[in-house]
Amino acid sequence: VAEAKANDPSRFFRMQFVCFVDLKGLDRNTMQRTMDEMGKSKEVLNCFPEILFSVCMINAPYFFGIMWPIIQSFMDPSTAKKFELYSDPGRGKERFLQLVDKDNLASDFGGCAMSTSEIAARKSENSSGKIRRQVTKLLAIKRYKSEDANIELKDGEIASVRVYTRASDGAQIVLNNGNQDEIEKVDLNRNEKEEANEPFHRDFVTSLRGPGTFCFAVERSAYTQLEHFLVVAKVSNVDE
């Protein structure tokens, strides 16, 4: 590599990446999974430390701030100092704008570029360019409790909704409209072909039409203390 660079320096460019991490919704029960993923990243960074310029984490819950010094102690010092932790999202977004041009930063992080939901929609599987935006709601539900995910659709919009989970005991999902009229009720349960503890999903509705605010109530009647459900709505225009 050194010889090739000496022969033709124009072929080589210095490249580093900046990573923004939103920890909103992180709880103690998902902390272990987060740590596992960070451990995988750490192995890569230890091998190629110069590819990382900075990692900015916002909306850090209080317990994460307590544990962060312990997590840093397992990192290489030169890598650890590149991580920045912000419990105040406003200060975090100010830092984002110091690292990335406003025109290139997602609008929900204080920039002028397309929002993360629009980016996700463009990259969504089988979107064919028709998906205009993607709405995601992460629900953390204790046993025998329920949580709501509200999705607002404008006139002329249509949405398909998919629910992801790894819950071993499933849940019941009820879809209501703005008048609390029940539109659909579905049991979300793992089938015999789906491996235990692995994520699975179900397509809930495929043609939910606006305008209106629609409520997805996810109710658990199970034994495990806490499970997570990710509700994803892909929104397109009716005439497309």
Side-chain angles (χ1 to χ4, degrees), residues 129-192:
K130 297 181 179 180
I131 305 300
R132 294 305 175 194
R133 59 190 177 95
Q134 181 167 288
V135 181
T136 60
K137 306 285 185 179
L138 178 62
L139 306 179
I141 309 176
K142 297 181 180 180
R143 58 181 179 176
Y144 306 114
K145 299 292 183 180
S146 65
E147 294 286 343
D148 295 342
N150 293 318
I151 297 174
E152 184 174 350
L153 297 178
K154 300 176 182 178
D155 188 21
E157 288 187 331
I158 188 171
S160 62
V161 180
R162 177 176 287 183
V163 181
Y164 297 83
T165 187
R166 63 170 73 230
S168 58
D169 38 36
Q172 185 177 78
I173 305 177
V174 179
L175 170 62
N176 298 311
N177 62 18
N179 297 320
Q180 296 301 308
D181 298 323
E182 183 178 304
I183 299 175
E184 189 172 355
K185 180 186 291 184
V186 173
D187 289 324
L188 178 64
N189 294 304
R190 187 186 305 273
N191 64 41
E192 60 183 15

Side-chain angles (χ1 to χ4, degrees), residues 85 98-99 161 170-171 207:
L85 188 63
Q98 293 174 358
L99 296 170
V161 180
S207 57

Side-chain angles (χ1 to χ4, degrees), residues 67-169:
M67 297 183 65
W68 181 240
I70 301 174
I71 299 171
Q72 280 186 308
S73 67
F74 291 95
M75 295 181 177
D76 182 272
S78 62
T79 300
K81 68 181 182 181
K82 297 179 180 180
F83 283 74
E84 305 175 36
L85 188 63
Y86 298 94
S87 57
D88 179 2
R91 289 187 58 204
K93 290 179 181 180
E94 288 178 4
R95 178 58 174 153
F96 291 174
L97 289 169
Q98 293 174 358
L99 296 170
V100 178
D101 290 339
K102 192 172 185 177
D103 291 340
N104 295 324
L105 184 63
S107 58
D108 39 347
F109 287 134
C112 298
M114 68 176 64
S115 68
T116 52
S117 65
E118 292 173 314
I119 295 172
R122 288 197 173 190
K123 294 184 177 180
S124 177
E125 57 182 352
N126 300 323
S127 67
S128 302
K130 297 181 179 180
I131 305 300
R132 294 305 175 194
R133 59 190 177 95
Q134 181 167 288
V135 181
T136 60
K137 306 285 185 179
L138 178 62
L139 306 179
I141 309 176
K142 297 181 180 180
R143 58 181 179 176
Y144 306 114
K145 299 292 183 180
S146 65
E147 294 286 343
D148 295 342
N150 293 318
I151 297 174
E152 184 174 350
L153 297 178
K154 300 176 182 178
D155 188 21
E157 288 187 331
I158 188 171
S160 62
V161 180
R162 177 176 287 183
V163 181
Y164 297 83
T165 187
R166 63 170 73 230
S168 58
D169 38 36

Side-chain angles (χ1 to χ4, degrees), residues 21-35:
V21 182
D22 190 348
L23 297 176
K24 185 177 181 180
L26 179 68
D27 56 44
R28 293 184 180 88
N29 293 278
T30 53
M31 185 69 181
Q32 183 57 53
R33 294 172 190 168
T34 303
M35 292 298 298

